[in-house]
Every structure is written in C-alpha cells, then in structure tokens.
Amino acid sequence: MEVFDGEKVIKEFEEMTKDAERVQMETLKKILEENGWAEYLQNLGLNGRTDPQSFKECVPLATHDDFEAYIQKIADGDSSPILTGKPIESMSLSSGTTKGRPKFIPFNDSLFETTMQIFQTSFAFRNKQVPLGNGKALQFVYSSKQFKTKGGLAAGAATTNVYRNPKFKTTMKAIQSQSCSPDEVIFGSDFHQSLYCHLLCGLISRDEIESVSSPFAHSIILPFKTFEQVWEELCTNIRDGVLSSWVTDPSIRAAMSKLLKPDPELADLIYEKCAGLSNWYGLIPELFPNAKYIYGIMTGSMEPYLMKLRHYAGHLPLISADYGASEGWIGVNVNPMLPPEMATFAVIPNIGYFEFIPLKANAQDQEQEGDGALVLQENKPVGLTEVKIGEEYEIVVTNVAGLYRYRLGDVVKVMGFHNATPELKFVCRSNLLLSINTDKITEKDLQLAVEAARNVLAAEKLELVEFTSHADITSEPGHYVIFLEISGEAKEEVLRECCNRLDKVFREAGSVSWRKGKATGALELRVVRKGTFHKIMEHSLSLGSAMSQYKTPRAVGSTNTAVLHILCSNVVNSYFSTAF
C-alpha cells in the first residue's frame, strides 16, 4: 500500500490555490469536454464549447427541479448521455432537509475521487497540527441499505455510496483513520445495534483510540448520551465476554464474538472511570486516554450542539470537518485548530467549477414596481477569485457528475483568501425557514433566538436538548411556534421569559411592521416531553433515512403531518409571548 505523504498533498494544494483562476478554467474545460455532448447541455446549445463565457451564456442557473426529469430518466434505466458522457451507475439520496424528502443526485467515480481528495487534503493539514500515531479511530458511521431504482441503478445515502466503495477503506487506512469497528458493525441492519457495538469496539480498543468522529456533531453526542444509559451493560459484556442478547443481527454477533473476550480488569477500570465522573463531564478523554481530538461537521445547523459536545470532550479539541453537500465537496478546513464557530473552508479549485451570487443589495439592480415598491434584482454570479472579503454569497456549483450551474442553496461569507482561493464561512441556507406574511426568518435567525432562550435556561442549570419551529397558519392571525425539549423541569416564569426572548429576536429578524399591525400573532413556545426528538429521528430512520445524514428538521411544515403529530402530541406546556 502506498504510504500517505502529507507534505506532498499540502504542496500540491498550495500550488493549485496560488493559480486558482487557471485551475478553475481547466476544471470547467475538462468537465465540458467529458460531458459536452450530453442531452442536457446539447438542449441548451452549448455545441461542444468549453470556455466560461459560452458556458454562462448558454447554461442557466438551475435548481434540483430543473434536473429532476433528466435524473429520473437515468434512474429509470436510460443509459444514453443525458447529463454526463459516461453512464451514471448509482444515485445518492440527499438528507431531505430542504424539501422534507430525499432527492436523487447522480453519483459517479469522479465524485468519489473528489471525496477522497478532500479527505486526504484535510487530514494532511490536520495531522500537521495534531499528528496521529498508528492507532485507531472510533468512528460512529453507519451505512444504510442500498436499493435498486426502476432502471437497476444502486441508490443510497451519499455516505453509503462512499463507504461501500472498495477504495474507501484503503484511503482511510492510509490516512491513519482506520475504524476500530469491523465492517459488519458499520453495515449492520439495525442502527441501535450498530451504535451499541461501536461503543463496545471503542472500549475494547480504548488505549488505541486516537480520534473520535462522525459525520455530524449531533451523531457524536448521541452515542455518548446512549452510553450514559447503557454503560453498566457494556461493562457486563466486557467482563463476561458475551454480547447482550438483544443484539440479534447475525453478522454483527459473529464479528463481535471474535473481538469480545472476558476482561474483568478492563470492565472494572471503565466502571471506576464512569463512577468518578461528575455529570459525565470529560467522558470521552476518560474512556479514551490517548484520543487527540474529536472530528465532525460542527458548523451551520450543528453549532447548537457544541456546548454539549464540549461537555463530553473536556480538554480535547473539537475540529470541524470539511464543507460539502450530497451534490459534492466545496472546501477544506486548512486551519483545523480554530474553534468550530470560527471555522473557514478553503475552496479546492479542481473539484468543481464554482460561481458566487453576491447577496449585497446593489442600487443599480433595483426596479420600481407600479406601487412604488423597490424590488431587488438578483446580482450576476462572479467567479471563484472575484469574490470580496466580508461579502456574503450564494454558492453555484458545476460538478463532475452532471450538475451544471446548480444553486446549492447555501449562503457563505468570504473571510479571507488562502493564496488565491477564498476561505468561506458557512452562514445559513438561502431558502427561507419560516414566513407567514412578508417577514423572512432564516435558520440563522432561529439559531440566534434559541441561543437567547438557551442562556435563560443555562442560568437555571437547565440544558436545551433540541428544538424546531413551525409557522401555524391555522389560527387568525398566523403565528410562529417554537418547540423546545429541555433536560429538566423549568419553572413557569423561566419558560415565559424564554418565550419572550425568542419573540424579541424573531421581531428583530423579521420586519418592523408585521407585529405592530397584528398581521402576525404572538410567538408561542411549546415545551415537549423528554425523548420527543428521538421519536422524530426514529420516524425518519423508519422511512429509510440514513443515520449518517440525519439532521433534526429546524422547521416543520404543515404538510409534514407525521412529524407535526409527534411534536403536538408530546407538548406538556405552552406559552404565548407577552413581549409586545
């Protein structure tokens, strides 16, 4: 096996980013040379041209809706050049957080290669700061089942398509990220059984564990919240060398039987460590004394989990993983020791062709409607090297798997440059989270509001477990509802204060007039029973969502009746704001 050369990877990255504009031109040319005669591009009259100007003149900005009919033809078995020159052989499923349902996204070997490239680049920069030895990684990863589309293509979560590729394991081993869990646990049929056995494998290999990771921050927290409940059972398994009988997956049982041997000494040590902890603070370094850091996506919708993750992490640094989506990767974390709240991602110029729609209002782009109202016309996209520090943009991606000028739906802020490539900070999703009238509430607005409520709870030594929101238009006037799950019993006056704080931040986020004119009713806080959001996760998994991609929905629409029913049927207290 080829030995990983981190210095070489960093050198190549530095050279590439110094000449980012040229690399972008070459990347677009390569994508269009390979796919220029595909049906989608032919219909737009590109006629084999590969220069950026012709590309932008012929190919419009697009969303998934614009590609859906083409993607469906591929999924149904049409192997002619539709989106790409070579046939697409598999499909990824998105997380489903945008529309409440997963969508098909073309996946090919080229997209897999860009994934391995970003993993290697990220590791090279990370390992330079915090070198790993020859230990193992405790990775809470789960491969959901693949299924066949009507046309016989393999389809599954984007992470599943990566995990199931034979080259994945080779790459992970090369970058010292070999999982301590056998494949049977990762590919297990039941998520709960896999999670339990991941913990067990980690404990068996406790002295070898050098990093703890999962795709998302919340999927690192979940195993350790589970650990709080099952630690004595885990100790019994280790002491006796026998796996709990409720773990019934035959392949998992067979694999674990090879690892699990009676070890009373280890069981006693873990028991002693757990008994000595105060409220589970510093649990991870206590269990895994040689762990160097905790790694996963910790930005955007994952930021609310950082407080709990730091509680478990103790002194261990949290390192935010790289920036990407089911549609492909965008940037790499080249400053891994920055706190996740400050994490930026340097765009890799050769993994796709990138454009950025400026979000700053441009007076020249405003038009007046008949009633005199100003309407903002969308700014034209600029290239990778044309963005400006301090400005916010919406990302447009042309990838190696058949998506052209695809609006990713993410808003980013340019924080600086790494050589000639921009360093981006994720801000929020560009689509509105909530709206009743003309007001606009984004995911970032919701996070700021919930943070204000979290501070009220923290002063009472209470923990905010989870949250989501809903625009209730069944009442007149319509009003916003925030659902909170709290760790303990909060006094009524504390919850009323939380409700008012939420409303004040929402008012600042929206418009000045919508509450004054009573076009929108007072914000409502609904406190739900402990475990409600776990039920929502279980519901999502039962519909085929992959745990490796699951995210708590931050807004639940009226059409999402099942999740709305789970929330509403578990409400224990309800309060309306009296802030205004």
Side-chain angles (χ1 to χ4, degrees), residues 446-458:
L446 176 64
Q447 283 186 14
L448 289 170
V450 169
E451 195 58 36
R454 188 198 299 272
N455 292 337
V456 175
L457 294 169

Side-chain angles (χ1 to χ4, degrees), residues 4 31 41 65 85 87 100 117 127 160 168 179 196 258 297 305 319 324 332 364 446 500 504 548:
F4 178 75
I31 289 172
L41 294 175
D65 290 344
Q117 180 187 348
N127 209 48
T160 296
F168 172 73
S179 174
Y196 183 84
K258 296 174 185 174
I297 293 171
Y305 301 101
I319 299 181
V332 62
Q364 295 160 343
L446 176 64
N500 288 345
K504 285 176 183 175
S548 55

